């Protein structure tokens, strides 16, 4: 796919986006999106059949709607005093167009949560191909429940063509970019990179251009895979998703598949790599099949504390 394959409205919006994030990134992203195979893989069909035959599909579908709220306190050496106690709501992998019932449950679960800003780490769409208007409609309904400050990155299920519509609906997307987050006279940096799993269009160097080395940087990355890059770049905290924690797990939460080459220690929950603190959400939605076993979906509240 290239710009000339887009509708005139999409083309105009993507050209404007290219002036911000670079026309090379737009061209590269669209080209790789065009290489995606729309046909479901045989392994996915076999998985669905296996779940039906084993009688686990009913329980797995109920689990999909049983969204947990998890709390993660994380201590950061460079956190300015004014941010001690600052809380980030982390929403990952909602795959919003899966069905309307899931959207209702997600909004119900968000009620009453207390947080200072919301970050979303990608995979808004159920399939990795096809239409995206349904996702934009669902995001619009979700937006009033996420507070004033919201920032997002795209995942491997998302098309770049969603970005203008997301931003028009109050979801600024960090495409290898960073923004300052201020609290009183103190500032931290929120950076976001594009998908490093499938599209490999992430550019952390570009995202951190102009950021002082001693800043407290929180990085949004759909997948935990670039954890080494993040640590080398001096990132303090990296928030990710993508893995679904396996989604369909053996008893004890042991994943069968993780959809990532990252080490197993990095595929769910809090982890650490040298000076980098990290957290990989198991996601609040589901993909491939609307089933979760031994791995309930989650929303995460990260409370930042000074080390
Ligand atoms: Fe993903």
């Amino acid at each position: 796919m290239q710009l000339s394959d887009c509708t005139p409205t999409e083309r105009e919006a993507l050209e404007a986006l290219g002036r911000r994030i670079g026309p090379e990134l737009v061209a590269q992203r669209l080209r790789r999106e065009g290489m995606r195979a729309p046909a479901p893989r045989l392994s996915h069909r076999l998985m669905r059949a296996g779940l039906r035959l084993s009688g686990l599909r009913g329980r797995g579908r109920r689990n999909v709607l049983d969204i947990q709220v998890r709390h993660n306190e994380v201590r950061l050496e460079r956190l300015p005093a004014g941010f001690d106690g600052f809380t980030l709501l982390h929403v990952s992998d909602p795959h919003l167009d899966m069905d309307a019932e899931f959207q209702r449950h997600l909004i119900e679960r968000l009620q009453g949560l207390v947080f200072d800003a919301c970050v979303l780490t990608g995979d808004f769409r159920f399939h990795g191909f096809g239409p995206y208007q349904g996702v934009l409609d669902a995001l619009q309904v979700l937006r009033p429940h996420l507070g004033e400050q919201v920032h997002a990155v795209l995942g491997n299920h998302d098309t770049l063509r969603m970005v203008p519509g997301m931003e028009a609906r109050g979801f600024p997307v960090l495409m290898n970019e960073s923004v300052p987050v201020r609290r009183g006279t103190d500032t931290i940096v929120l950076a976001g990179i594009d998908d490093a799993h499938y599209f490999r269009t992430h550019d952390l160097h570009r995202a951190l251009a102009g950021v002082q080395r001693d800043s407290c940087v929180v990085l949004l990355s759909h997948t935990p895979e670039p954890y080494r890059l993040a640590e080398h770049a001096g990132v303090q905290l990296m928030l990710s998703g993508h893995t679904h924690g396996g989604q369909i797990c053996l008893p004890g939460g042991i994943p069968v598949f993780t959809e990532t080459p990252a080490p197993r220690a990095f595929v769910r929950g809090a982890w650490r790599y040298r000076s980098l603190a990290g957290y990989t959400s198991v996601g609040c939605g589901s993909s491939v099949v609307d089933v979760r076993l031994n791995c309930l979906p989650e929303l995460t509240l990260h409370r930042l504390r000074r080390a």
Side-chain angles (χ1 to χ4, degrees):
M1 175 182 285
Q2 47 193 349
L3 269 178
S4 57
D5 299 320
C6 298
T7 67
T9 308
E10 287 174 336
R11 194 159 56 237
E12 191 179 326
L14 289 175
E15 282 170 350
L17 181 63
R19 288 191 282 278
R20 189 182 97 206
I21 66 173
E24 313 80 16
L25 176 55
V26 172
Q28 193 179 27
R29 197 32 152 102
L30 289 177
R31 189 167 60 248
R32 292 183 188 174
E33 286 181 19
M35 293 161 65
R36 285 205 93 130
R41 288 185 291 179
L42 177 63
S43 59
H44 296 171
R45 290 201 293 271
L46 288 173
M47 191 189 303
R48 288 192 196 96
L51 285 164
R52 265 195 302 273
L53 289 170
S54 65
L56 290 170
R57 188 168 166 83
R59 175 156 69 93
R61 290 189 72 171
R62 287 192 295 279
N63 287 343
V64 161
L65 303 179
D66 190 8
I67 303 168
Q68 309 293 297
V69 176
R70 298 221 165 86
H71 297 264
N72 176 45
E73 184 168 287
V74 56
R75 294 194 174 266
L76 304 175
E77 282 178 8
R78 293 193 211 128
L79 191 72
F83 278 85
D84 195 34
F86 192 82
T87 301
L88 290 166
L89 167 66
H90 181 189
V91 180
S92 198
D93 305 83
H95 298 283
L96 281 166
D97 51 342
M98 185 179 70
D99 68 42
E101 190 183 7
F102 168 72
Q103 292 172 28
R104 281 196 302 277
H105 274 78
L106 176 58
I107 288 171
E108 271 177 32
R109 207 68 192 88
L110 287 164
Q111 303 313 303
L113 298 186
V114 178
F115 51 92
D116 297 290
C118 173
V119 294
L120 300 102
T121 49
D123 274 5
F124 302 98
R125 186 165 65 167
F126 186 64
H127 292 295
F129 51 87
Y132 59 89
Q133 187 58 45
V135 179
L136 296 181
D137 293 344
L139 283 168
Q140 186 157 351
V141 174
L142 183 64
R143 182 63 186 84
H145 307 281
L146 301 178
E148 284 182 25
Q149 278 198 75
V150 171
H151 288 283
V153 291
L154 296 185
N156 58 303
H157 281 234
D158 302 318
T159 167
L160 186 71
R161 291 171 295 155
M162 290 162 52
V163 172
M166 286 179 67
E167 297 196 326
R169 288 161 178 78
F171 292 86
V173 182
L174 295 169
M175 295 289 303
N176 301 330
E177 298 169 289
S178 65
V179 290
V181 177
R182 296 195 172 86
R183 200 182 206 197
T185 55
D186 286 327
T187 304
I188 62 172
V189 173
L190 186 63
I193 50 175
D194 196 21
D195 171 51
H197 176 71
Y198 177 79
F199 294 113
R200 306 196 65 76
T201 36
H202 58 298
D203 187 343
L204 186 55
H205 182 70
R206 186 181 180 119
L208 297 182
V211 173
Q212 290 189 336
R213 181 79 188 178
D214 61 352
S215 300
C216 181
V217 177
V218 176
L219 175 67
L220 309 182
S221 168
H222 176 58
T223 166
E225 286 158 48
Y227 65 93
R228 283 194 191 89
L229 277 177
E231 196 272 341
H232 292 160
V235 170
Q236 290 258 282
L237 173 64
M238 178 173 172
L239 302 179
S240 300
H242 173 67
T243 65
H244 291 211
Q247 187 172 314
I248 293 174
C249 295
L250 300 173
I254 300 164
V256 181
F257 304 106
T258 60
E259 295 289 338
T260 174
R264 291 243 160 173
F266 294 10
V267 302
R268 73 186 292 174
W271 47 265
R272 182 165 278 279
Y273 176 70
R274 297 180 176 169
S275 63
L276 174 68
Y279 190 95
T280 305
S281 167
V282 303
C284 64
S286 309
S287 68
V288 181
V289 286
D290 55 347
V291 167
R292 276 185 177 261
L293 290 170
N294 302 308
C295 183
L296 294 175
E298 74 172 75
L299 295 168
T300 321
L301 290 168
H302 301 285
R303 189 157 188 254
L304 310 188
R305 302 301 309 272
R306 270 161 70 86

